[in-house]
Amino acid sequence: MKHSVAAFLSRHNFPVHTDINTVVEAMLYDMDQGLSGRPADEDMIRTYMNPPEKSAAGKSVITIDAGGTNFRSCLVTFDEFGKPSIDFMEKTKMPGVDKELSKKEFFDKFAENLEHLKDKAENIGFCFSYPMTITEDGDGILLGFTKEVKAPEVVGCHIGKELSRALAEHGWKKNVKVTLLNDTVAALLAGAAAPDEGKKYSSYIGFILGTGMNGAYIQSEDPAYKNLKKQIIVCENGKFGKVIRSDFDIAFDKKSVNPGTAVIEKECSGAYLGPVAYEIITSAAKEGLFSEKFANSLLELDGMTLIELDRFLHAPYSTNSILGAKAKDSADENDYETLFQLLDALVERTARLAAAILSALVIKSGKGVNASEPVCLLCDGTTFYKTYKVFGRIEGYLEETLVKQRNLYYEIVSRDNDITLGAAIAGLIEK
């Protein structure tokens, strides 16, 4: 079975074991190109922001987390000791996911979603998890949507400025100051804001592997990069394209909303793993890797989600997944093994690519040289923590790639409400 699966994957240009260091070196080169102002896949966006040196004691800020499929908003209040509390939390659907919206419709929908927070604070920390150019005043210019959001008129807009206009039109009396950031910066700030007692980190990284995928790190001042002071850099790692694309990746990409974009993100983030798995499964069924009865059953599928893929990998003989139910009715033992190996190869690639990105971010930070002061990796996302064996494999590959091969040290951490906390902190940073 292993030989037939390996031959099938190789025939379709799907590497069974992606070489992590090859991806790391290619990504580091691309990051250097982007910081130098030369053409690069990753945008290397300057945020003009660093973690604050003082706590936000005694202040309140409205926070928005808009990305993926959800739109979350709340009020964060820091007490006299800087401890945050979260109130008025609401979650709705991200505008533009269900249908295409005009620019006015898009921001009017945002204002409607914020009605419960009207005039409760003068500062808004807006985590907008899409590619942006950040301006020195804290606004963000949208470069383009990912995650299948459909609002093309919004591309090129100043998001903070347009939101402020929409809020004023919806009756807000306070002239709010909107600070834009993405989820990786929010994660980084959450890690920097509240280190565990007795811990000391040499630097901080924010990394998201959920519906989408992206990373941010702190770049030290370097004469190699003109006019670049120490600050958080958003890498837009998901746009990196110097990776092998299998026939399955190409087939799905042609069906996606924005073909040819977000190459590595489409190979390892939650929004795309299900559709790519569907391409693998149906191709294998057509090419004779399964028994005839099971193949015909699989070809009845009209799609696949990460949830269903993950359920099968966690419990292949359970009927609580679509694949498990189909297998019970029509598969033999070889079918189970073949399907499992095919799907496991997909999540294995996810872990290797994620480890390569995290390794590149740590190396580019220039920190982590002492084991007692590791780089803090604040990681978030259900694909990172929940998908079958992804977290454990990432840790194993980081130990090999960073610690054993390069003597660089890191620690993966998580925080409750990390994106909300980080967005609130960003909203209070003085520009």
Side-chain angles (χ1 to χ4, degrees), residues 234-275:
V234 176
C235 301
E236 294 300 338
N237 301 118
K239 298 176 73 174
F240 182 67
K242 306 301 188 293
V243 288
I244 296 171
R245 299 177 75 204
S246 71
D247 294 343
F248 317 120
D249 300 307
I250 294 169
F252 162 66
D253 181 57
K254 290 178 179 177
K255 301 173 185 176
S256 66
V257 172
N258 297 301
T261 64
V263 172
I264 198 171
E265 183 174 79
K266 287 176 180 173
E267 293 193 5
C268 62
S269 70
Y272 308 112
L273 286 176

Side-chain angles (χ1 to χ4, degrees), residues 67-83:
T69 56
N70 295 317
F71 180 102
R72 298 178 180 88
S73 56
C74 66
L75 183 73
V76 177
T77 301
F78 296 89
D79 67 16
E80 58 184 311
F81 304 106
K83 183 178 179 180

Side-chain angles (χ1 to χ4, degrees), residues 92-372:
T92 57
K93 198 155 192 176
M94 177 66 189
V97 171
D98 289 335
K99 64 176 183 177
E100 183 172 315
L101 300 177
S102 68
K103 182 174 77 170
K104 187 176 189 316
E105 289 172 334
F106 185 81
F107 287 103
D108 280 347
K109 197 67 180 174
F110 272 30
E112 291 171 16
N113 290 345
L114 295 173
E115 187 67 25
H116 66 295
L117 296 169
K118 182 180 287 186
D119 293 327
K120 292 189 181 296
E122 295 181 350
N123 294 301
I124 295 179
F126 190 172
C127 181
F128 193 64
S129 302
Y130 303 94
M132 295 181 291
T133 296
I134 299 298
T135 60
E136 292 194 47
D137 62 357
D139 206 341
I141 302 171
L142 180 66
L143 298 174
F145 279 115
T146 57
K147 307 165 195 170
E148 313 299 286
V149 174
K150 299 171 283 293
E153 289 183 8
V154 180
V155 176
C157 290
H158 287 72
I159 301 299
K161 180 181 177 181
E162 293 294 336
L163 176 60
S164 295
R165 176 196 57 75
L167 294 178
E169 289 179 356
H170 281 251
W172 286 53
K173 295 183 177 64
K174 292 184 177 180
N175 184 22
V176 295
K177 174 181 174 290
V178 183
T179 299
L180 269 292
L181 69 159
N182 78 355
D183 48 4
T184 56
V185 177
L188 187 155
L189 290 172
D196 293 333
E197 186 176 352
K199 293 281 189 180
K200 185 177 181 182
Y201 296 111
S202 54
S203 192
Y204 299 90
I205 283 167
F207 181 70
I208 309 294
L209 182 60
T211 303
M213 185 273 294
N214 198 7
Y217 75 104
I218 301 174
Q219 171 66 49
S220 300
E221 189 166 349
D222 188 332
Y225 305 122
K226 187 176 180 181
N227 300 322
L228 178 59
K229 296 180 180 180
K230 178 184 176 183
Q231 62 187 279
I232 300 169
I233 300 289
V234 176
C235 301
E236 294 300 338
N237 301 118
K239 298 176 73 174
F240 182 67
K242 306 301 188 293
V243 288
I244 296 171
R245 299 177 75 204
S246 71
D247 294 343
F248 317 120
D249 300 307
I250 294 169
F252 162 66
D253 181 57
K254 290 178 179 177
K255 301 173 185 176
S256 66
V257 172
N258 297 301
T261 64
V263 172
I264 198 171
E265 183 174 79
K266 287 176 180 173
E267 293 193 5
C268 62
S269 70
Y272 308 112
L273 286 176
V276 175
Y278 175 76
E279 300 295 336
I280 293 174
I281 292 168
T282 54
S283 294
K286 292 173 183 176
E287 294 180 29
L289 266 72
F290 302 112
S291 65
E292 183 177 356
K293 185 177 181 181
F294 188 46
N296 289 335
S297 179
L298 290 174
L299 289 172
E300 294 172 354
L301 293 167
D302 57 6
M304 181 55 51
T305 65
L306 174 57
I307 292 173
E308 291 299 331
L309 176 162
D310 192 50
R311 283 176 178 168
F312 179 81
L313 286 175
H314 273 103
Y317 292 93
S318 169
T319 57
N320 289 330
S321 69
I322 290 173
L323 293 173
K326 283 185 172 291
K328 183 179 185 299
D329 292 334
S330 57
D332 58 30
E333 288 300 310
N334 288 339
D335 289 330
Y336 274 99
E337 180 63 15
T338 297
L339 181 57
F340 190 95
Q341 286 188 25
L342 288 171
L343 298 182
D344 188 50
L346 184 59
V347 296
E348 165 72 4
R349 182 178 73 172
T350 293
R352 285 175 172 266
L353 291 175
I357 294 165
L358 282 166
S359 296
L361 292 169
V362 171
I363 294 166
K364 194 61 181 168
S365 76
K367 304 297 182 180
V369 296
N370 296 325
S372 61

Side-chain angles (χ1 to χ4, degrees), residues 1 12 43 52 58 60 86-87 121 172 193 205 235 282 344 356 366 377 384 395 407-408 414 428:
M1 299 311 319
H12 288 281
D43 292 315
S60 293
I86 298 173
D87 298 294
W172 286 53
I205 283 167
C235 301
T282 54
D344 188 50
L377 311 183
F384 187 94
E395 281 200 301
N407 293 314
L408 295 176
S414 61
L428 296 172

Side-chain angles (χ1 to χ4, degrees), residues 28-40 42-44 46 222-226 228 364:
L28 286 171
Y29 174 77
D30 192 71
M31 294 166 78
D32 179 69
Q33 291 288 101
L35 287 173
S36 301
R38 294 187 287 269
E42 300 158 281
D43 292 315
M44 303 303 290
R46 304 183 184 198
D222 188 332
Y225 305 122
K226 187 176 180 181
L228 178 59
K364 194 61 181 168

Side-chain angles (χ1 to χ4, degrees), residues 383-427:
T383 306
F384 187 94
Y385 287 110
K386 301 295 185 182
T387 300
Y388 178 76
K389 287 192 175 182
V390 165
F391 179 37
R393 288 172 174 175
I394 289 173
E395 281 200 301
Y397 295 137
L398 288 177
E399 283 295 313
E400 179 66 30
T401 306
L402 290 176
V403 180
K404 293 181 182 179
Q405 295 179 7
R406 293 176 172 85
N407 293 314
L408 295 176
Y409 300 91
Y410 71 94
E411 182 175 349
I412 296 174
V413 303
S414 61
R415 293 280 182 269
D416 291 339
N417 302 306
D418 52 359
I419 305 304
T420 298
L421 176 60
I425 292 167

